[in-house]
Amino acid sequence: MSRDVSHFDHLTRLLALEHTAQKARMAEEAQRLTLQERAARGLVWLDLEAVEDAVGLGGRVLVTLARADGQSLPAPLHNGDLVALRPRKAEDVAPVTGLVSRATRARVTLAFDRPPPPFVGEGRLRLDLVPNDITYQRARAAVERMKARERGQERRVRDVLLGAAAPKFGRLTEPTPTRPLNPEQREAVQRALAAEDFFLVHGPPGTGKSTVLAEVAVQAVANGQRLLACAASNAAVDHLLELCVDNGLSAVRVGHPGRVLERLQQHTLDVLVEEHPDRVLARELFDEALSLQGYARRQRTQGRSRERFAQARASSSEARQLMDEARALERKAVRSVLGKARVVCVTLGSLDTPVLADEEFDLALLDEATQAIEPLSLLPFLRAPRVVLAGDHKQLPPTVVSEAAARAGLSVSLFERLHADAPQEAHRMLREQYRMHADIMAFPSRTFYAGELRAHPGVASRTLAEVLTREGVDAPPVLFLDTAGKGFEEVQEEGGSFFNEGEAALVAARGRELLAAGLPSGELAVITPYSAQAALVRDMLGVPGVEVDTVDAFQGREKDAVLVSLVRSNGEGQVGFLAELRRMNVALTRPRRHLFVVGDSATLGGHPFYEDFMASTQAQGGYRSAWEWPEPERG
């Protein structure tokens, strides 16, 4: 389907709707919830105090905060979050804003462009999460820049993305692969390297999408090309970095080292720049400048003589000069480090950061492309002439808060739109999966991928019994436990999420049973569509090392055994957002050896998808009734 440039105006309007909805949600929560409720939801952090300060890259002041009582932070913060800091007991004091530079369960480090006010180091503090406009502004700018492309090759890229021009491919060559590739993977690599505009790698669960991206990266670098590797999330970018490092490529990760896997931190820009001789000299200049600034402040406060003011002015002027020299040395160090990298890895939200403004690339890889809204996905096309997008539009779409924006198309990723519009040669689906037992694969393959997936012989018949130390555990590849008639009614909490205590008890008991039978805790996960249910199961199970989370948070992950709690149980047959079938595709395709699903057939059976799923478990011999299942111990 061909579009004209008004498509970009439409995207701009949708972005504005989404931005307004995000701010409205935060404002509504701030007004509706008590301070303690906001703290429990990770919107505010109380009773913090400064425990450390330092000078970071670019002369930023870094202040590390921790709970005054030494306890862990009740909810996580994330790198790049914008926060407001004020005294805990003097909330009328104007807050100071900063960016989260590093966060752990025990501490959070904030970056300030200039020294924060004295109250930051003088007592207990309150930290509030505030709306961050940076990503919105960069997404809007990307749309505007793409729309403005009117000449030459830039115009062609725009027309190809609008469907007004067909994507082109160079001569297909047969590269010598550096790893084993199945036929679809080999063809995907071949066509990705030949693409002159874009190519889509459609990777259903477990089909080796990462293998294809790694091979494309290795082949492109071997051909003298410089790569940009990006994705919407930090986790996905770290995965790309890991692929590059494991394949011997010179890669730099742009982003704070605290958000990177420990073994990969040595490849972050910050760490590499810290070790550069120019940065070492810059640190000395920053220290001297801060000392001069402190001297100037003391001169102003110790008296009002002409001599003291003159000394203060001179010291301030010298400090500014030293700061300018230090920043120039840092920029030189950054350019040196980036210039040596053959691959630069960065999130989409940070792609337009000034540090990358002058960097040029021959090819961009965009992983998890189906989880990014289209405006952000335009950014790689503004930085490289060719882009390889990888993802699966049959799994979760981009997260969009505004229902109006979602209905009008913002939840449709650029990958999904191009896949629907582009000719067949512009995309390939990988068909052989290396994760799931054939029985676990069967239903998702038939429902979402036209039955085209096949299980690699190495995984097709592996079972949970092979890794358990105790025999006699009822654990076929797929087991559906039907709670119909048990009275396990759903409950909706005030914030809108649902939980089901009866289901949670069954799932927790099942988890303990599998662990007792020898399943390692790191190979068990419990997932559910609802955050309230995840919290309840986490409390009931209480086993360190067992991941309990929402389906959305578990996309891209896998475990030997996955327990799924569907939660919904009501007399009206309401399934809520269980009707978002792409979410269920994610849930059902996480396990390698054993999928255990708990649900109420009386509620779910009115929906064709769940009716079909339950019928498939019966056909495989994996249907059980909770009436015949051991009653869980209730604490």
Side-chain angles (χ1 to χ4, degrees):
M1 174 182 172
S2 177
R3 295 166 171 81
D4 59 30
V5 292
S6 66
H7 174 69
F8 298 115
D9 297 325
H10 178 63
L11 289 179
T12 299
R13 289 191 293 272
L14 299 187
L15 273 176
L17 285 174
E18 175 67 2
H19 188 226
T20 299
Q22 289 175 350
K23 291 193 295 184
R25 171 182 282 187
M26 294 191 73
E28 186 271 337
E29 289 176 333
Q31 185 174 8
R32 176 172 56 86
L33 303 175
T34 67
L35 190 59
Q36 295 303 323
E37 288 173 334
R38 296 186 68 210
R41 296 193 181 199
L43 301 174
V44 62
W45 288 258
L46 304 173
D47 297 319
L48 303 176
E49 61 182 7
V51 295
E52 187 179 306
D53 57 55
V55 177
L57 196 62
R60 295 173 299 173
V61 178
L62 303 178
V63 178
T64 299
L65 308 174
R67 284 276 296 268
D69 58 9
Q71 298 297 310
S72 297
L73 300 178
L77 282 156
H78 302 95
N79 183 39
D81 283 347
L82 184 66
V83 297
L85 199 63
R86 56 165 58 92
R88 173 70 171 94
K89 297 297 186 180
E91 297 181 2
D92 57 334
V93 174
V96 59
T97 58
L99 285 175
V100 174
S101 179
R102 181 176 184 178
T104 66
R105 291 297 301 184
R107 293 184 168 196
V108 56
T109 299
L110 305 183
F112 300 93
D113 291 335
R114 55 183 57 85
F119 72 72
V120 171
E122 295 174 350
R124 296 195 178 188
L125 304 166
R126 164 181 168 172
L127 183 152
D128 289 77
L129 191 65
V130 298
N132 190 343
D133 290 343
I134 294 176
T135 300
Y136 163 73
Q137 291 167 355
R138 289 174 176 170
R140 181 185 176 113
V143 175
E144 293 173 348
R145 286 162 57 195
M146 186 61 73
K147 177 185 176 183
R149 289 186 150 196
E150 292 287 355
R151 296 182 180 179
Q153 179 59 25
E154 291 188 348
R155 169 68 178 267
R156 172 175 164 71
V157 171
R158 188 189 74 178
D159 288 348
V160 167
L161 293 180
L162 290 172
K168 293 181 178 179
F169 290 83
R171 185 172 61 88
L172 295 179
T173 60
E174 185 68 34
T176 301
T178 61
R179 72 207 69 222
L181 299 174
N182 64 44
E184 292 92 358
Q185 291 173 335
R186 182 183 290 268
E187 184 182 15
V189 170
Q190 184 181 27
R191 299 201 69 83
L193 293 170
E196 295 184 4
D197 306 291
F198 71 85
F199 182 74
L200 308 175
V201 180
H202 180 196
T207 54
K209 169 173 60 70
S210 296
T211 299
V212 171
L213 290 180
E215 186 65 23
V216 170
V218 169
Q219 296 287 345
V221 170
N223 291 334
Q225 298 176 29
R226 190 164 188 245
L227 269 62
L228 171 66
C230 50
S233 70
N234 279 293
V237 175
D238 287 348
H239 180 57
L240 288 171
L241 173 65
E242 191 168 18
L243 290 178
C244 293
V245 170
D246 288 348
N247 283 277
L249 304 182
S250 172
V252 170
R253 169 72 156 95
V254 176
H256 196 281
R259 298 295 294 171
V260 178
L261 291 172
E262 185 174 353
R263 78 176 191 86
L264 298 173
Q265 289 179 359
Q266 61 184 309
H267 302 283
T268 60
L269 179 63
D270 280 32
V271 169
L272 293 170
V273 168
E274 283 294 330
E275 299 170 352
H276 195 278
D278 287 332
R279 167 59 177 157
V280 174
L281 179 55
R283 280 201 303 270
E284 296 175 358
L285 294 178
F286 277 128
D287 289 342
E288 187 175 351
L290 290 174
S291 178
L292 286 168
Q293 288 177 339
Y295 174 77
R297 283 194 298 270
R298 289 193 298 273
Q299 291 300 308
R300 292 190 183 97
T301 58
Q302 290 176 1
R304 300 182 63 83
S305 69
R306 181 176 298 176
E307 181 181 358
R308 286 187 183 277
F309 277 109
Q311 291 172 341
R313 282 196 300 270
S315 295
S316 295
S317 176
E318 185 177 355
R320 285 193 296 271
Q321 291 176 2
L322 290 174
M323 285 281 193
D324 289 342
E325 291 178 32
R327 290 189 175 105
L329 285 170
E330 281 191 338
R331 288 192 294 270
K332 182 180 175 184
V334 168
R335 287 195 299 270
S336 174
V337 170
L338 288 174
K340 296 175 183 176
R342 300 310 302 162
V343 186
V344 174
C345 304
V346 61
T347 62
L348 290 173
S350 298
L351 186 49
D352 258 5
T353 186
V355 76
L356 295 177
D358 298 324
E359 300 300 313
E360 296 181 352
F361 305 95
D362 302 299
L363 174 67
L365 305 180
L366 175 53
D367 196 11
E368 302 295 356
T370 50
Q371 295 181 49
I373 58 173
E374 179 170 339
L376 285 175
S377 297
L378 296 176
L379 283 163
F381 287 91
L382 296 168
R383 303 303 302 272
R386 302 155 50 228
V387 180
V388 175
L389 301 90
D392 180 13
H393 53 289
K394 301 298 183 179
Q395 296 187 65
L396 284 170
T399 299
V400 176
V401 173
S402 167
E403 293 183 4
R407 288 194 303 269
L410 193 60
S411 62
V412 178
S413 66
L414 179 63
F415 182 106
E416 183 175 0
R417 183 171 70 76
L418 292 177
H419 189 277
D421 294 346
Q424 177 62 38
E425 59 265 26
H427 53 85
R428 285 293 182 274
M429 186 176 90
L430 308 180
R431 289 176 169 80
E432 187 165 43
Q433 64 87 16
Y434 299 80
R435 175 185 300 167
M436 297 167 277
H437 187 286
D439 287 353
I440 300 174
M441 176 200 73
F443 178 74
S445 175
R446 183 177 74 251
T447 305
F448 297 101
Y449 305 105
E452 295 185 22
L453 299 188
R454 62 183 185 274
H456 184 272
V459 305
S461 58
R462 62 183 183 184
T463 65
L464 194 62
E466 297 168 350
V467 298
L468 298 181
T469 57
R470 193 179 76 197
E471 296 181 356
V473 177
D474 186 5
V478 182
L479 193 159
F480 176 72
L481 183 59
D482 186 358
T483 65
K486 293 290 288 184
F488 294 164
E489 292 292 316
E490 67 187 43
V491 177
Q492 185 173 19
E493 64 178 15
E494 185 180 348
S497 187
F498 287 84
F499 65 90
N500 186 316
E501 189 173 351
E503 271 195 22
L506 284 174
V507 169
R510 177 63 169 183
R512 289 190 291 270
E513 177 190 17
L514 295 181
L515 294 172
L519 180 67
S521 60
E523 286 300 337
L524 173 65
V526 180
I527 58 177
T528 173
Y530 294 97
S531 58
Q533 183 76 344
L536 181 59
V537 173
R538 195 178 297 118
D539 289 342
M540 285 186 171
L541 185 58
V543 178
V546 175
E547 293 187 65
V548 182
D549 217 328
T550 62
V551 177
D552 298 48
F554 214 75
Q555 180 156 324
R557 312 285 305 286
E558 59 184 72
K559 298 284 185 179
D560 272 351
V562 174
L563 317 182
V564 180
S565 174
L566 297 178
V567 179
R568 301 308 298 265
S569 179
N570 55 74
E572 297 76 35
Q574 297 294 322
V575 298
F577 69 18
L578 292 187
E580 172 47 80
L581 301 184
R582 288 179 291 186
R583 178 172 284 107
M584 294 315 303
N585 185 26
V586 173
L588 301 179
T589 56
R590 300 307 96 198
R592 303 186 193 103
R593 301 172 183 268
H594 177 58
L595 171 66
F596 179 85
V597 181
V598 182
D600 181 354
S601 65
T603 298
L604 303 172
H607 193 289
F609 173 87
Y610 295 98
E611 181 183 28
D612 192 15
F613 171 70
M614 290 183 288
S616 74
T617 64
Q618 289 179 321
Q620 292 174 345
Y623 174 89
R624 308 285 187 273
S625 170
W627 289 98
E628 304 166 343
W629 197 257
E631 287 288 336
E633 295 182 9
R634 308 290 281 270

